[in-house]
Amino acid sequence: MSRVKTLQELFKRYRRPGDIVFAWIFLILSLFLVSQLDSQAPWKPNGKTFSQPAFWPTVAVYAMSFFAAFHLLSSFLSERLEGRWSEVWSWVKSVEYAGWFMAYVSLVPKLGYLPMTMVFAVLLGLRAGYRSVKVLGFLLILAIVIVVVFKGFLQVKIPGAAIYEYLPTALRSFFLTYF
């Protein structure tokens, strides 16, 4: 077991790729939250400080800003590592799936739960690298099972699609209820 000889060795910091970018983003986000405190967590007049609804959010946001500033400072003072932009690019790539989800959520009320679940199951399968007809067919069946379980058995209330208005009356009520 080795002993720490100096305070500097005790607090030695090992910087990771992308750390400086993360530190900047976190500091900007925390300063934005500080700027929003007055409108989001107002202080009540003539109240005790510790019983104010805004007390703990204010403490938390200011502490987050304080530590974000020190994180940025320590990132500047640490030695630079290669690979910053490859790390940042991996963060950006992970946001892609949030975009897929937002597209799915925005299209379901227009085109329907069943059709969009089937389309997005296949598209995400293709995006993940699956190309065989067998796997894509399985994804279509899985999408149908998901819709039947959620709408039929679990009775999840999902709004009917605008496109269902063009169906004949009997078929429209069936699709609105189950798909």
Side-chain angles (χ1 to χ4, degrees):
M1 182 171 170
S2 66
R3 291 186 100 177
V4 176
K5 296 181 181 173
T6 65
L7 190 63
Q8 188 176 17
E9 287 178 356
L10 180 64
F11 290 102
K12 185 167 176 57
R13 185 174 181 282
Y14 298 99
R15 187 170 170 187
R16 303 281 181 241
D19 188 46
I20 192 87
V21 177
F22 176 81
W24 272 112
I25 291 170
F26 201 75
L27 179 63
I28 290 167
L29 173 69
S30 62
L31 291 176
F32 170 75
L33 291 176
V34 166
S35 75
Q36 300 301 307
L37 273 174
D38 290 336
S39 64
Q40 298 298 316
W43 290 81
K44 292 183 178 178
N46 302 329
K48 293 181 181 178
T49 302
F50 294 110
S51 65
Q52 292 280 344
F55 177 73
W56 288 113
T58 302
V59 169
V61 170
Y62 275 103
M64 182 172 72
S65 300
F66 176 76
F67 289 115
F70 271 115
H71 181 202
L72 181 62
L73 178 65
S74 69
S75 293
F76 276 126
L77 297 177
S78 298
E79 62 185 62
R80 185 177 187 276
L81 297 175
E82 294 300 320
R84 173 188 314 162
W85 295 113
S86 63
E87 178 71 18
V88 171
W89 182 243
S90 69
W91 299 343
V92 171
K93 287 192 299 188
S94 67
V95 174
E96 173 196 358
Y97 289 96
W100 283 96
F101 177 73
M102 296 306 292
Y104 174 75
V105 167
S106 66
L107 289 173
V108 164
K110 295 176 181 92
L111 301 175
Y113 184 43
L114 177 63
M116 286 300 95
T117 303
M118 292 170 67
V119 166
F120 275 84
V122 171
L123 287 176
L124 286 171
L126 290 169
R127 174 65 183 94
Y130 297 104
R131 300 286 186 264
S132 74
V133 175
K134 183 179 178 180
V135 171
L136 297 177
F138 176 74
L139 289 172
L140 282 174
I141 293 169
L142 181 65
I144 293 168
V145 168
I146 288 170
V147 170
V148 168
V149 166
F150 273 80
K151 288 272 299 207
F153 295 120
L154 298 176
Q155 300 291 316
V156 175
K157 304 290 186 224
I158 296 170
I163 200 168
Y164 293 164
E165 296 300 320
Y166 297 108
L167 294 172
T169 306
L171 199 55
R172 180 175 59 233
S173 65
F174 176 75
F175 268 75
L176 285 172
T177 304
Y178 296 107
F179 300 108

